Structure formats: C-alpha cells, structure tokens
C-alpha cells in the first residue's frame, strides 16, 4: 500500500505472554503544527518498540525504543532516536495505605548528541493524606538558541516535595487540597 495516503495517526500491535507484554507501533513522528485543535495526518514514517515485564504483583519494568523521522519542524532532515527504561514498585501499607516508587531514565539522540534524563519519585497514601516527592535531572540543549539551532547543553535539576489531603464529598467524589514545594 502507499503510506503517503494513510490517514491514521498510529498503528499499534502487541502480544501478552504470561507476565511479558511486547508492543510495536508505526506512527507519524512529526511535531504538530501551530493549529493544536485539528488532527495531524501523514505517512507512518516512525517506529517504536516496548517491552514490559511484571515479575511480581508489586513490580513493573519497561524498556522502549523509538526512531522518529524529522520530528522537529525547525530542524528538517534531522532524525531522532529515543530510549527509555523504568521500574515501578507499589505495595500496600496496612489496611488502607499504599506506597509507590518510580525510577525512570530516558535518552534522546539526534546527530552526534545524546541527552539523558533521570527521575526518581515516590508517593505514599496514608488514609486521607498523600505525601509525595520527586527528584529529576535532565540534559537539555533547548534553553538557548545558537544560529537558529539548539544551543549548548545544560544540566537542569529539580526537587519537589508535597502533600495532599482528600475530603470525601460523595461516595465516589473527593476534593483534594494540597501543596508543593
């Protein structure tokens, strides 16, 4: 078939084998235009693969890879490869509490440059309270332009801590009030 006449945004296939899930997608990897209210179409020129594994009921692991063809409008002809891996551990605390922690890594490669990002976040639900924190560090070259292109690479880091208190308004409706520092 002629992929230049495809009007789909993404085609995905997957298979689940016991505790392992394999997925593959073909999609149009181009950045959307400035009209964010319409549906973007185009050839399915980009590819992504993901494998997920749940070795225990409390632990989920995933890794993914994607090859994007000319994703940035301002940089035609430049392709990008993206990698990610993450682990999520979640367990019950007592009769009505829980705790969850996620560790994630991602890499964006374009040309000869590789930029990494890391995040560690955790949250605990203790009755009506949820306490959470997140630490992240990214390498980015999109803060300053140099000659119309990406500029120098900077390390950017952030630490967030917060809490949320839920108020039950109805059997299946809650209002949460909280803060983030």
């Amino acid at each position: 078939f002629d992929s230049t006449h495809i009007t789909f945004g993404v085609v995905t296939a997957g298979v689940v084998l016991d505790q392992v899930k394999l997925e593959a997608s073909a999609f149009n990897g181009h950045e959307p235009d400035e009209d964010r209210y319409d549906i973007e179409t185009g050839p399915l020129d980009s590819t992504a693969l993901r494998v997920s594994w749940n070795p225990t009921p409390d632990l989920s692991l995933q890794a993914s890879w994607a090859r994007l063809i000319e994703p940035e409008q301002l940089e035609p002809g430049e392709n990008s490869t993206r990698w990610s891996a993450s682990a999520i551990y979640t367990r019950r605390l007592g009769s009505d509490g829980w705790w969850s922690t996620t560790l994630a890594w991602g890499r964006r490669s374009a040309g000869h440059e590789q930029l990494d990002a890391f995040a560690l976040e955790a949250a605990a639900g203790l009755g009506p309270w949820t306490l959470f924190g997140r630490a992240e560090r990214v390498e980015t070259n999109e803060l300053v332009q140099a000659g119309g292109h990406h500029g120098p690479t900077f390390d950017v880091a952030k630490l967030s801590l917060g809490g949320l208190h839920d108020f039950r308004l109805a059997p299946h409706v809650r209002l949460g009030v909280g803060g983030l520092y």
Side-chain angles (χ1 to χ4, degrees):
F1 62 91
D2 181 2
S3 66
T4 60
H5 292 93
I6 291 177
T7 58
F8 300 107
V10 63
V11 175
T12 300
V15 63
V16 176
L17 305 165
D18 195 24
Q19 299 166 322
V20 177
K21 180 169 43 171
L22 303 170
E23 302 168 86
S25 298
F27 57 98
N28 183 307
H30 302 286
E31 179 179 68
D33 60 21
E34 64 277 354
D35 298 324
R36 301 301 172 129
Y37 51 82
D38 62 348
I39 297 174
E40 302 296 328
T41 61
L44 303 180
D45 58 4
S46 299
T47 307
L49 303 171
R50 178 170 50 196
V51 59
S52 305
W53 177 41
N54 298 324
T56 71
D58 298 335
L59 182 62
S60 179
L61 306 170
Q62 77 81 38
S64 66
W65 167 90
R67 180 71 174 156
L68 287 81
I69 305 303
E70 298 186 18
E72 302 284 341
Q73 284 186 1
L74 298 177
E75 297 185 7
E78 186 172 305
N79 301 328
S80 176
T81 302
R82 314 238 171 121
W83 295 87
S84 78
S86 64
I88 302 172
Y89 182 79
T90 303
R91 63 174 291 198
R92 289 254 172 234
L93 294 177
S95 61
D96 66 343
W98 55 270
W99 163 51
S100 186
T101 298
T102 300
L103 177 62
W105 163 82
R107 171 173 284 170
R108 181 176 50 128
S109 301
H112 299 292
E113 191 164 36
Q114 296 184 353
L115 303 173
D116 290 311
F118 299 92
L120 174 63
E121 62 183 22
L126 308 167
W129 285 96
T130 301
L131 305 175
F132 53 89
R134 178 181 173 97
E136 57 190 297
R137 181 189 147 285
V138 300
E139 295 174 328
T140 182
N141 61 1
E142 297 180 354
L143 296 177
V144 178
Q145 285 193 351
H149 297 296
H150 294 296
T153 300
F154 294 94
D155 284 328
V156 179
K158 180 179 178 180
L159 176 64
S160 304
L161 299 171
L164 177 74
H165 188 277
D166 285 335
F167 298 92
R168 187 172 300 280
L169 302 179
H172 298 288
V173 179
R174 291 190 258 177
L175 170 68
V177 178
L180 176 68
Y181 176 75

